[in-house]
Each structure stands twice: as structure tokens, then as C-alpha cells.
Amino acid sequence: MSVPVFSALKKSMWGLLQDAARLPWARTSSIEERLRIVEEELALRDLLNRYTYFYDGNDLEGVMTVFSDDCTL
């Protein structure tokens, strides 16, 4: 039985961005907490943008800079 592509992707790095997108925006949080959430979301978006830019440009060295040294695919 094959696994749908989107189900398989959700279990990988794409799941991080999807989880962040599903987080409710808590207006009752302190400004510091809200700023931390925004900074984390921007960091995830930056990572995804860099990965897709390098991947689409067939830049293997660039793709490798997105991952930590102990990452295995």
C-alpha cells in the first residue's frame, strides 16, 4: 500500500511549517511571547525558502547548508 505524498511529507520537515501554521494566535500572551512566536515562524519560513531556492537551483552545496552536520536523509 503506497503512502500519499502529502502524508509522507507531513512526517518530514514540512510538518514543522504545517504545525506552525496551525497554531492559534494567542492575543492574551505577553508581547515577549508573541515576539518569540513570530521570530520562530520567520525562522521556519526562512529555512523553507532557502531550501527550495537551493533545491530548485540544483545547488547541492546550498541544500546541504540547510541541514545540520548529523542529518541523515
Side-chain angles (χ1 to χ4, degrees):
M1 174 181 213
S2 67
V3 176
V5 173
F6 292 113
S7 295
L9 289 177
K10 182 168 180 1
K11 296 175 185 173
S12 66
M13 70 179 205
W14 304 105
L16 295 173
L17 192 58
Q18 290 172 339
D19 291 344
R22 288 187 181 101
L23 289 175
W25 185 256
R27 291 285 181 186
T28 59
S29 299
S30 68
I31 189 73
E32 291 83 9
E33 179 66 13
R34 289 170 35 203
L35 179 59
R36 183 189 63 77
I37 291 169
V38 168
E39 287 176 339
E40 287 179 3
E41 182 178 342
L42 288 174
L44 285 170
R45 288 179 186 221
D46 177 60
L47 180 68
L48 181 60
N49 286 336
R50 287 187 297 124
Y51 173 81
T52 55
Y53 176 80
F54 291 136
Y55 186 86
D56 288 348
N58 294 319
D59 182 353
L60 179 58
E61 291 298 319
V63 168
M64 297 305 294
T65 65
V66 175
F67 298 99
S68 63
D69 292 335
D70 62 346
C71 177
T72 58
L73 295 175

